[in-house]
Amino acid sequence: MENRKVLRLSGNWLRAALSLGLLGSAVASGTAASAQTLVLRGGSVYASPDAAPLPDAVVVVSGGAISAVGSASDVQIPPDARVIDCAGKTVVAGFWNSHVHFTEAVWKNAAAAPAAPLTAHMQAMLTRWGVTTVWDIGSDPSDGLPLRRRVSSGEVLGPNIFFAGSIFPRDGRPAYLPAEMQLPEAATPEQAGQMARAYMQLGLDGIKLFTGAYKGEDKPVVNMDVAIARAAVDVAHAEGKPVFAHPQNTAGIEAVVAAGVDVMAHTVGRQPGYFPEQLARFKQQGVALTPTLSLFAKLPIPSEIAARVVDNIVNQLKQFSENGGIVLFGTDVGYTQLYDTTLEYELMHRALSERQVLASLTTNPAQYFKAAKKGRVEKEFDGDVVVLDGDPISDVRNLAKVAYTIRAGQVIYQKP
C-alpha cells in the first residue's frame, strides 16, 4: 500500500519509467567507440588545468582510450589512423556540464524518435560546446533512459549521461513549471525514502532535492523539511550515489548542510554572500557548487536588479572557491535555452582564474564523481577530448570556441 501511495505521489515520472521496465545501468559509461584509431597532431596540449602546455603534440586515441601523448618527435602515428590537423589549436580534456535537463520537446519519445534530430539538438545544446559528460538533474526517466541507451550505443551522438531523480517538498511546485506537470512530492521522510529507492531501482545515478521551491514573487519559498531531505540522502549515500539540491534561499542552504547534501545546484541570488558558518560547514562536509551564473544574469528583471543579483552570486562563487570548495561547471541548459557557454565563462572569470574555470569543466567533476579515467589528457585515460581554436588560459572565452568534441575516440561534433 505504501509503495503504491508513493508512486502516485511521484506522478508520471516514476510510474511511466517503472511500467516500461527501464532499468538502466548505474553508471552511464562507455559509448560505441569507433574502431578507427584517432590522432590529434600538431596542437598544444594541456594534460590538466595546472599543467604547462605541450606544444606541437600528438594525442593517439584507440579503443576509446588515450594510448599515447607526447611531442611529435616522440610519438609514432599508426599508419591506419584518422589524423586531425590541430596546428594552431589547443587540446584539453572533455568538458563536464554538471547541471542540465533533457526536458525540451525534442526529447519526448526519445526511445523511438529519429536519431538525426536528436543528434542535431544534442550538438546545439551540448557537444557544440565541448561537452562529453553531463549530469541531468531533473528529467522524465521514461525519455531520459532510452536516450542514454541510444547515445551509449552510438546511434545518437552525444555525451556520457548521468541522471538524478527529483524530489520536491509537499506543495513545492516551482512557479516556472507547468501546472499540469505531475511532480514527485514527498510529505514525509518515509515517502522521500521510498522515492529515492525507486530511483535507485530505475538505475539512476543520484538524487536531486528541491530544498527550496520558488512559488512566485508574492509567495513565500516552500522549503523541504530537513528530516525529509535526510531520508533521501541516506538512501542515495547507502548506494554510493551523490545528492544535488536546489536551495533557492538561506533556509534551503541550511537544509543542504543539515541533510548532508553533496552538491548545491545553484548559487542563491538574493543572499549577499555566504555566511561564515555556512562556509565552514561546506568545507567540513565537502559540499560542491555549480554556480549557474548566466541563468541569473538572464532573468527577466530590471537591469539594475539583475546587476545586483549577479554581484551577489559572483561573490558567493569567489567566497566558495577561496574557502577551498569544489566548483563544478553547470548552466541549467535545457531549462534555459542559452546554449552558448561564453557568458558563463565570462562571469565565472570574475571570481576564478582561467585554470580554475578549466578545472571546473574537467578535473574537478572527474575527481568529485570518482570518474578515475576522465578529466585529463593522459595515457590510459578515456578518449574524451576537446580541440579548441584558441588557448583557454590566455582567454577564458576560448573555452567556447570548439573545433572538435571527441568522446571515447569518436568525433561527436566537428565545426563546419
Side-chain angles (χ1 to χ4, degrees), residues 4-5 42 75 78 113 133 140 150 187 224 261 269 361 363 371 375 404 416:
R4 290 197 298 272
K5 180 180 179 183
V75 177
T133 303
D140 186 340
R150 295 180 75 182
M224 180 176 284
V261 167
L361 290 155
T363 50
Y404 294 88

Side-chain angles (χ1 to χ4, degrees), residues 4 9 37 57 73 84-85 123 130-131 179 190 253 268 270 290 302 314 317 325-326 357 370 377 388:
R4 290 197 298 272
L9 287 166
T37 296
S73 60
I84 296 177
D85 182 8
Q123 288 185 346
V131 176
E190 292 73 22
I253 295 174
V268 175
R270 295 188 177 181
T290 55
V314 167
L317 174 58
I326 299 297
V357 176
K370 298 179 175 60
V377 187
L388 302 171

Side-chain angles (χ1 to χ4, degrees), residues 149-314:
R149 282 203 295 270
R150 295 180 75 182
V151 170
S152 294
S153 73
E155 182 186 359
V156 174
L157 300 184
N160 189 55
I161 302 172
F162 294 95
F163 282 109
S166 296
I167 301 177
F168 294 78
R170 186 173 64 178
D171 300 325
R173 175 188 305 281
Y176 46 79
L177 293 183
E180 67 274 11
M181 182 182 291
Q182 297 186 50
L183 300 179
E185 298 182 1
T188 66
E190 292 73 22
Q191 289 175 352
Q194 290 279 1
M195 290 178 188
R197 281 187 285 274
Y199 283 132
M200 297 297 99
Q201 181 186 353
L202 279 174
L204 301 195
D205 308 293
I207 302 294
K208 195 261 190 84
L209 305 174
F210 275 73
T211 59
Y214 174 76
K215 301 292 289 184
E217 286 298 310
D218 57 342
K219 298 178 181 178
V221 169
V222 173
N223 290 110
M224 180 176 284
D225 184 81
V226 170
I228 294 174
R230 182 79 243 185
V233 169
D234 287 346
V235 170
H237 284 180
E239 297 287 333
K241 308 296 186 183
V243 180
F244 300 74
H246 177 116
Q248 193 64 44
N249 61 359
T250 300
I253 295 174
E254 296 301 325
V256 163
V257 170
V261 167
D262 302 288
V263 183
M264 289 190 294
H266 297 284
T267 44
V268 175
R270 295 188 177 181
Q271 179 175 298
Y274 294 120
F275 307 136
E277 297 81 4
Q278 292 173 336
L279 289 168
R281 292 294 297 276
F282 295 158
K283 187 170 185 177
Q284 177 188 359
Q285 296 176 204
V287 176
L289 171 69
T290 55
T292 65
L293 304 179
S294 55
L295 172 71
F296 293 97
K298 291 296 184 179
L299 290 174
I301 55 179
S303 59
E304 63 275 11
I305 298 176
R308 289 200 298 271
V309 169
V310 169
D311 285 344
N312 282 346
I313 58 179
V314 167

Side-chain angles (χ1 to χ4, degrees), residues 9 27 48 61 78 98 106 112 153 195 204 211 295 328 369:
L9 287 166
V27 177
S48 65
V61 183
S98 297
V106 68
S153 73
M195 290 178 188
L204 301 195
T211 59
L295 172 71
L328 308 171
F369 296 118

Side-chain angles (χ1 to χ4, degrees), residues 14 29 44 46 62 71 138 147 161 176 303 312 332 347 369 376 389 391:
L14 285 176
S29 61
S44 180
Y46 284 99
S62 56
S71 63
L147 175 63
I161 302 172
Y176 46 79
S303 59
N312 282 346
D332 210 353
L347 293 172
F369 296 118
R376 296 175 181 269
D389 283 330
D391 186 337

